């Protein structure tokens, strides 16, 4: 954690991004969020004890979202489907990551800086898939206020919350859509990002979404993923990684731990450029070669 926070500060001192603002709102707002979080814990506990995790699958939702999506991820009430869950989400993730979620998200920014530096930000395009409540896009806009950015998520309430959180910025689009079929043209994005989403996808869907990333990236464009460490990234954390899906409903995490992202990328023409550790997460960087490369 110390290493992550020191790197966060070093990035600021190096001018890669400004001193970050969380934009979490007033103390009253934060306390209300904490209240919502604590209020849900008995329900979370009940689901954990009974193993029930599909309460969001009902006649109304069944045909509107893919089956894999309609689960109470993290055992939280409402899954991804309610406004209350969207309001509770960020407190929950910060608790899960001991207060490092935002610092972890920001570790994607140096990888974007590398490809954006010296270019006119107004002419670049960034797409964030599974943008959730928009926390990462907020940091993107703090670093590049004039960059046109598009956030996409399958959850209507989370996109609503992202709109509220990001309303201070111009040139941000937010849409409800499935990452499996991204409604933007081929070769149109300079960067695609996705934060904390891939461990929640079944293996076949990971591959479909990667193909979409490869399709929408411009030649020379960059994909940056931030997600959990995988098995053997950090031997001391193996036990922790095993426990996570038991305490939090994470049905695809076991296959995520073993996933070969380099191979998935290679299969759709992306080059696995590097990976960097960030506490219990890591940043994975992939590049779409330019023609002739
Ligand atoms: C753990 S949250 C991460 C949210 C956000 N990126 C963050 O930094 O906290 C996973 C997000 O992925 C979204 N998601 C899951 N499957 C998706 C899909 N097929 N297409 C688009 N969004 C999806 C969920 O709605 C949820 O908002």
């Amino acid at each position: 954690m110390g290493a992550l926070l020191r790197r966060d500060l070093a990035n600021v001192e190096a001018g890669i991004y400004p001193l970050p603002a969380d934009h979490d709102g007033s103390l009253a707002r934060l306390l209300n969020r904490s209240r919502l979080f604590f209020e849900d814990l008995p329900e979370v506990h009940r689901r954990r004890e009974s193993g029930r995790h599909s309460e969001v699958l009902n006649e109304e939702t069944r045909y509107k979202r893919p089956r894999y999506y309609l689960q109470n991820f993290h055992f939280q009430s409402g899954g991804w489907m309610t406004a209350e869950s969207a309001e509770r989400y960020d407190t929950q993730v910060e608790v899960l990551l001991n207060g490092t979620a935002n610092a972890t998200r920001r570790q994607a920014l140096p990888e974007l800086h590398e490809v954006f530096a010296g270019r006119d930000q107004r002419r670049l395009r960034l797409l964030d898939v599974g943008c959730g409540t928009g926390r990462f896009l907020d940091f993107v806009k703090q670093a590049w206020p004039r960059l046109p950015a598009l956030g996409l998520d399958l959850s209507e309430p989370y996109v609503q919350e992202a709109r509220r959180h990001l309303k201070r910025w111009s040139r941000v689009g937010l849409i409800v859509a499935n990452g499996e079929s991204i409604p933007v043209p081929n070769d149109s994005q300079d960067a695609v990002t996705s934060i904390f989403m891939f461990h929640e996808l079944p293996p076949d869907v990971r591959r479909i979404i990667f193909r979409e990333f490869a399709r929408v990236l411009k030649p020379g464009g960059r994909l940056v993923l931030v997600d959990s460490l995988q098995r053997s990234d950090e031997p001391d954390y193996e036990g922790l990684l095993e426990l996570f899906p038991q305490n939090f409903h994470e049905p695809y995490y076991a296959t995520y731990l073993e996933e070969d992202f380099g191979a998935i990328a290679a299969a759709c023409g992306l080059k696995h450029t590097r990976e960097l550790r960030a506490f219990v997460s890591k940043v994975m960087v992939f590049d779409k070669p330019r023609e002739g490369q």
Side-chain angles (χ1 to χ4, degrees):
M1 256 166 92
L4 166 65
L5 297 176
R6 275 194 297 278
R7 194 174 342 132
D8 199 25
L9 182 59
N11 291 337
V12 172
E13 286 170 346
I16 294 174
Y17 45 86
L19 201 61
D22 285 348
H23 292 145
D24 273 332
S26 63
L27 180 60
R29 194 175 184 101
L30 276 172
L31 287 173
N32 189 44
R33 288 233 170 106
S34 297
R35 185 185 60 77
L36 288 173
F37 168 74
F38 281 109
E39 212 171 63
D40 197 35
L41 289 183
E43 287 297 300
V44 169
H45 180 69
R46 181 183 60 74
R47 287 188 197 98
R48 193 178 283 145
E49 292 289 293
S50 66
R52 286 172 59 186
H53 48 65
S54 289
E55 292 168 10
V56 286
L57 173 67
N58 56 44
E59 283 320 302
E60 200 202 325
T61 57
R62 187 182 296 273
Y63 301 107
K64 290 191 180 153
R65 295 288 181 274
R67 176 67 188 87
Y68 68 83
Y69 186 79
L70 293 173
Q71 304 191 50
N72 296 74
F73 285 91
H74 301 191
F75 289 120
Q76 68 174 350
S77 297
W80 304 124
M81 302 297 282
T82 65
E84 293 76 27
S85 142
E87 215 182 332
R88 209 186 291 123
Y89 171 79
D90 287 292
T91 308
Q92 194 211 115
V93 176
E94 286 294 3
V95 170
L96 179 65
L97 294 176
N98 294 339
T100 61
N102 276 341
T104 301
R105 291 181 179 111
R106 287 193 287 273
Q107 301 319 302
L109 300 178
E111 307 309 315
L112 297 175
H113 179 82
E114 197 173 73
V115 289
F116 287 177
R119 299 167 70 187
D120 182 350
Q121 56 181 271
R122 293 166 304 181
R123 295 182 184 283
L124 299 170
R125 295 286 178 279
L126 176 137
L127 169 70
D128 186 36
V129 176
C131 66
T133 59
R135 292 318 206 251
F136 175 64
L137 281 176
D138 193 4
F139 297 120
V140 167
K141 294 299 286 186
Q142 289 176 40
W144 298 283
R146 288 185 292 280
L147 170 73
L150 179 65
L152 173 160
D153 199 285
L154 202 41
S155 166
E156 198 151 353
Y158 279 62
V159 165
Q160 287 288 1
E161 171 63 19
R163 283 202 182 106
R164 191 201 58 73
H165 187 70
L166 295 166
K167 63 177 182 290
R168 64 175 51 77
W169 302 111
S170 61
R171 303 181 204 215
V172 179
L174 289 158
I175 52 170
V176 179
N178 190 339
E180 292 174 72
S181 110
I182 301 174
V184 307
N186 296 354
D187 302 334
S188 59
Q189 306 298 310
D190 296 278
V192 174
T193 52
S194 188
I195 318 288
F196 302 144
M197 183 179 78
F198 269 79
H199 72 275
E200 302 202 331
L201 301 174
D204 56 331
V205 177
R206 281 179 214 135
R207 283 156 177 77
I208 296 170
I209 295 188
F210 243 86
R211 279 200 293 277
E212 278 297 87
F213 290 169
R215 177 183 70 76
V216 305
L217 273 172
K218 289 180 188 169
R222 173 163 283 187
L223 165 65
V224 184
L225 303 185
V226 178
D227 215 313
S228 161
L229 289 176
Q230 292 180 277
R231 202 183 304 288
S232 61
D233 279 335
E234 172 54 73
D236 284 351
Y237 288 176
E238 297 267 304
L240 190 77
L241 301 183
E242 296 294 335
L243 271 182
F244 177 55
Q246 292 169 32
N247 291 333
F248 297 86
H249 179 56
E250 288 289 0
Y252 308 112
Y253 193 74
T255 60
Y256 169 87
L257 288 180
E258 308 288 346
E259 187 61 276
D260 182 349
F261 282 97
I264 299 185
C268 48
L270 297 179
K271 177 174 160 275
H272 189 181
T273 302
R274 72 175 78 96
E275 290 192 6
L276 298 106
R277 285 268 319 271
F279 184 34
V280 289
S281 303
K282 63 177 173 179
V283 182
M284 298 181 250
V285 183
F286 307 87
D287 289 303
K288 180 163 168 176
R290 290 176 202 284
E291 261 135 64
Q293 256 185 339

